Coordinates of all heavy atoms in Angstrom, one line a residue:
A1 N 6.4 -10.4 3.7 CA 5.9 -9.4 2.8 C 6.8 -8.1 2.9 O 7.0 -7.5 1.9 CB 4.5 -9.1 3.1
E2 N 7.2 -7.8 4.1 CA 8.0 -6.6 4.3 C 9.3 -6.8 3.7 O 9.9 -5.9 3.0 CB 8.2 -6.3 5.8 CG 9.1 -5.2 6.2 CD 8.7 -3.9 5.6 OE1 7.5 -3.7 5.2 OE2 9.5 -2.9 5.7
G3 N 9.9 -8.0 3.8 CA 11.2 -8.2 3.1 C 11.1 -8.1 1.6 O 12.0 -7.5 1.0
E4 N 10.0 -8.6 1.0 CA 9.8 -8.5 -0.4 C 9.6 -7.0 -0.8 O 10.2 -6.6 -1.8 CB 8.6 -9.3 -0.8 CG 8.7 -10.8 -0.7 CD 7.4 -11.5 -1.0 OE1 6.4 -10.8 -1.3 OE2 7.4 -12.8 -1.0
S5 N 8.9 -6.3 0.0 CA 8.7 -4.8 -0.3 C 10.0 -4.0 -0.2 O 10.2 -3.1 -1.0 CB 7.6 -4.2 0.6 OG 8.1 -4.1 1.9
Q6 N 10.9 -4.4 0.7 CA 12.1 -3.8 0.9 C 13.0 -4.0 -0.4 O 13.7 -3.1 -0.9 CB 12.9 -4.3 2.1 CG 12.2 -3.8 3.4 CD 12.4 -2.4 3.7 OE1 13.1 -1.6 3.0 NE2 11.8 -1.9 4.8
L7 N 12.9 -5.2 -0.9 CA 13.7 -5.5 -2.1 C 13.2 -4.7 -3.3 O 13.9 -4.2 -4.1 CB 13.6 -7.0 -2.5 CG 14.2 -8.0 -1.5 CD1 13.9 -9.4 -2.0 CD2 15.7 -7.8 -1.5
D8 N 11.8 -4.6 -3.4 CA 11.2 -3.8 -4.4 C 11.6 -2.3 -4.2 O 11.8 -1.6 -5.2 CB 9.7 -3.9 -4.4 CG 9.3 -5.3 -4.8 OD1 9.9 -5.9 -5.8 OD2 8.3 -5.9 -4.2
A9 N 11.7 -1.8 -3.0 CA 12.0 -0.4 -2.7 C 13.4 -0.1 -3.2 O 13.7 1.0 -3.7 CB 11.9 -0.1 -1.2
E10 N 14.3 -1.1 -3.1 CA 15.7 -0.9 -3.6 C 15.7 -0.7 -5.1 O 16.6 0.0 -5.6 CB 16.5 -2.1 -3.2 CG 16.8 -2.2 -1.7 CD 17.8 -3.4 -1.4 OE1 18.1 -4.1 -2.4 OE2 18.1 -3.6 -0.2
R11 N 14.7 -1.2 -5.7 CA 14.6 -1.0 -7.2 C 13.8 0.3 -7.5 O 13.5 0.6 -8.7 CB 14.0 -2.2 -7.9 CG 14.9 -3.4 -7.7 CD 14.4 -4.5 -8.7 NE 13.1 -5.1 -8.3 CZ 13.0 -6.1 -7.5 NH1 14.1 -6.8 -7.0 NH2 11.8 -6.6 -7.1
G12 N 13.4 1.0 -6.5 CA 12.7 2.2 -6.6 C 11.2 2.1 -6.9 O 10.6 3.1 -7.4
A13 N 10.6 0.9 -6.7 CA 9.2 0.7 -7.0 C 8.4 0.3 -5.7 O 8.9 -0.4 -4.9 CB 9.0 -0.3 -8.1
L14 N 7.2 0.8 -5.6 CA 6.3 0.3 -4.6 C 5.4 -0.7 -5.2 O 4.8 -0.5 -6.2 CB 5.5 1.5 -4.0 CG 6.3 2.6 -3.3 CD1 5.3 3.7 -2.8 CD2 7.0 2.0 -2.0
V15 N 5.2 -1.9 -4.5 CA 4.4 -2.9 -5.1 C 3.6 -3.5 -3.9 O 4.0 -3.4 -2.7 CB 5.2 -4.0 -5.8 CG1 5.9 -3.5 -7.0 CG2 6.1 -4.7 -4.8
G16 N 2.5 -4.2 -4.3 CA 1.7 -4.9 -3.3 C 0.4 -4.2 -3.0 O 0.1 -3.1 -3.5
T17 N -0.4 -4.8 -2.1 CA -1.7 -4.4 -1.8 C -1.7 -3.6 -0.4 O -1.1 -4.1 0.5 CB -2.7 -5.6 -1.7 OG1 -2.8 -6.2 -2.9 CG2 -4.1 -5.1 -1.3
V18 N -2.4 -2.5 -0.4 CA -2.7 -1.8 0.8 C -4.1 -1.9 1.2 O -5.0 -1.5 0.4 CB -2.3 -0.3 0.7 CG1 -2.5 0.5 2.0 CG2 -0.9 -0.1 0.2
R19 N -4.4 -2.4 2.4 CA -5.7 -2.6 2.8 C -6.2 -1.5 3.7 O -5.6 -1.3 4.8 CB -5.8 -4.0 3.6 CG -5.4 -5.2 2.8 CD -5.1 -6.4 3.7 NE -4.0 -6.1 4.6 CZ -3.5 -7.0 5.5 NH1 -4.1 -8.2 5.6 NH2 -2.5 -6.6 6.3
V20 N -7.1 -0.7 3.3 CA -7.5 0.5 3.9 C -9.0 0.5 4.4 O -9.8 0.0 3.6 CB -7.3 1.8 3.0 CG1 -7.7 3.1 3.7 CG2 -5.9 1.8 2.5
S21 N -9.3 1.0 5.6 CA -10.6 1.2 6.0 C -10.8 2.7 6.2 O -10.0 3.4 6.8 CB -10.8 0.4 7.4 OG -12.1 0.8 8.0
A22 N -12.0 3.2 5.7 CA -12.2 4.6 5.8 C -13.7 4.9 5.9 O -14.6 4.1 5.5 CB -11.7 5.3 4.6
P23 N -14.1 6.0 6.5 CA -15.5 6.4 6.6 C -16.1 6.6 5.2 O -15.5 7.0 4.3 CB -15.5 7.7 7.4 CG -14.2 7.7 8.1 CD -13.2 7.0 7.2
S24 N -17.4 6.2 5.1 CA -18.1 6.2 3.8 C -18.1 7.5 3.1 O -17.6 7.6 1.9 CB -19.5 5.7 4.0 OG -20.3 6.6 4.8
D25 N -18.6 8.6 3.7 CA -18.7 9.8 3.0 C -17.3 10.5 2.7 O -17.1 11.0 1.7 CB -19.6 10.8 3.7 CG -20.3 11.8 2.8 OD1 -20.7 11.3 1.7 OD2 -20.4 12.9 3.1
L26 N -16.4 10.3 3.7 CA -15.1 10.9 3.5 C -14.4 10.2 2.3 O -13.7 10.8 1.5 CB -14.2 10.7 4.7 CG -12.9 11.4 4.7 CD1 -13.0 12.9 4.8 CD2 -12.0 10.8 5.9
A27 N -14.6 8.9 2.2 CA -14.0 8.1 1.1 C -14.5 8.6 -0.3 O -13.8 8.8 -1.2 CB -14.3 6.6 1.2
R28 N -15.8 8.8 -0.3 CA -16.5 9.2 -1.6 C -16.1 10.7 -2.0 O -15.9 10.9 -3.2 CB -18.0 9.1 -1.5 CG -18.5 7.6 -1.4 CD -20.0 7.6 -1.3 NE -20.5 6.2 -1.3 CZ -20.7 5.4 -0.3 NH1 -20.4 5.9 0.9 NH2 -21.1 4.2 -0.4
T29 N -16.1 11.6 -1.0 CA -16.0 13.0 -1.3 C -14.6 13.5 -1.3 O -14.3 14.5 -2.0 CB -16.8 13.8 -0.4 OG1 -16.4 13.6 1.0 CG2 -18.3 13.5 -0.4

């Protein structure tokens, strides 16, 4: 996946999914 993202970065684009965990209220507000 990192290799694929590096290829995309060379074309100036960010692609793919970012999986994020965050506290509930901070996420909402």
